[in-house]
Amino acid sequence: MKYNTFLFDLDGTLLDTNELILQSFLYTLNRFYPGKYTREEILPVMGKPLLDQMRLFGPDRAEELVRVYREYNLAMHDALIREFPHVSQTVKELFLRGAKLGVVTSKQRLTTLMGLRYFGLENYFSAIVTMEDVKAHKPHPEPVLTALERLKAEKEEALMIGDSTFDLDAAHAAGVDAAAVAWSLKPLELLRSCNPEYILHDIRELLHLATPLMNQSVAWGDSGTAGV
């Protein structure tokens, strides 16, 4: 199967914000509930909209928790954010080939754009769907369908790439193929349970899955082929 449209989750897929997110949670939760929560208890809810996550930890103080989290997250953003290997190279090459590219994330637009701009990625994406753009969030199909509509792309020609079950389930609910990334903090066995069409161990594997549309200037050799 070859694709001309690629939809990416942001956190944990394109950008390594794992430590930023975990530190933001720990700072916030320890401020309100000292010593009550651990990293292991935070990991399973990562990928949901922030307010929904905070309702799980402090249902009566969720909005206050969100405010403190965002203050810390913004202050520490540039110090803790990282890019996963070969992301810029691969996104640029897909763009040069003429692929339609989108970001589908449950985070707010402000920090989404901060992360993309920090690594010079923003201009490669013709559709950036954030929490403000939809009423229902992943795993609901609305964010994926919104990105397809903005890109004027067909479901059958699109691939959604993500690091959580929310990404994979949203893709399948929208009728779109899904690729799980093996660099997720989520257990690979959990991601496999969503039956993704592909498991990516290196983001450059997407170049093998792209429809040859225009220019294919960069070849990265025989380092691997995407597969389940």
Side-chain angles (χ1 to χ4, degrees):
M1 185 70 183
K2 297 288 186 177
Y3 306 92
N4 64 25
T5 302
F6 296 88
L7 307 178
F8 295 89
D9 175 55
L10 187 69
D11 291 332
T13 300
L14 290 176
L15 303 184
D16 185 355
T17 53
N18 291 327
E19 197 59 31
L20 172 63
I21 291 170
L22 286 167
Q23 289 297 332
S24 299
F25 265 111
L26 289 170
Y27 172 85
T28 303
L29 295 175
N30 280 326
R31 178 167 165 178
F32 291 89
Y33 312 104
K36 184 175 180 180
Y37 295 106
T38 66
R39 294 167 70 100
E40 290 69 29
E41 292 171 297
I42 296 167
L43 286 174
V45 304
M46 287 173 61
K48 291 185 177 183
L50 183 58
L51 184 58
D52 291 345
Q53 295 176 76
M54 290 307 187
R55 284 175 177 148
L56 297 174
F57 295 111
D60 298 329
R61 310 185 75 172
E63 292 185 2
E64 192 176 5
L65 291 170
V66 167
R67 178 183 58 78
V68 172
Y69 174 102
R70 285 184 172 155
E71 288 175 356
Y72 182 88
N73 190 275
L74 284 171
M76 300 301 295
H77 183 275
D78 291 357
L80 294 177
I81 195 171
R82 300 289 185 270
E83 184 181 68
F84 285 113
H86 313 298
V87 165
S88 292
Q89 170 195 349
T90 302
V91 168
K92 180 179 179 180
E93 175 61 12
L94 289 170
F95 176 82
L96 291 175
R97 292 187 186 190
K100 300 175 182 179
L101 303 179
V103 170
V104 181
T105 177
S106 296
K107 70 189 300 181
Q108 63 176 342
R109 181 163 292 270
L110 172 63
T111 46
T112 295
L113 295 179
M114 281 179 64
L116 291 173
R117 288 169 180 164
Y118 189 81
F119 293 106
L121 294 170
E122 179 189 7
N123 292 332
Y124 294 126
F125 295 99
S126 299
I128 299 174
V129 178
T130 65
M131 63 170 290
E132 294 94 336
D133 297 307
V134 295
K135 294 180 180 179
H137 303 283
K138 296 180 289 187
H140 194 279
E142 184 185 353
V144 176
L145 294 174
T146 300
L148 292 176
E149 181 180 2
R150 292 182 180 180
L151 291 169
K152 296 180 172 58
E154 300 296 329
K155 298 178 183 179
E156 299 77 12
E157 299 175 333
L159 181 67
M160 173 75 197
I161 302 100
D163 72 311
S164 78
T165 59
F166 305 113
D167 303 315
L168 308 178
D169 288 342
H172 288 155
V176 170
D177 284 355
V181 300
W183 53 90
S184 173
L185 285 182
K186 306 293 194 308
L188 194 53
E189 294 75 14
L190 178 63
L191 299 181
R192 286 187 187 277
S193 71
C194 295
N195 298 312
E197 280 65 34
Y198 308 95
I199 302 290
L200 302 178
H201 295 272
D202 185 314
I203 196 170
R204 294 173 296 179
E205 294 171 26
L206 291 176
L207 300 178
H208 292 302
L209 298 174
T211 303
L213 298 174
M214 293 172 57
N215 184 14
Q216 297 191 41
S217 58
V218 176
W220 60 282
D222 297 320
S223 300
T225 302
V228 176

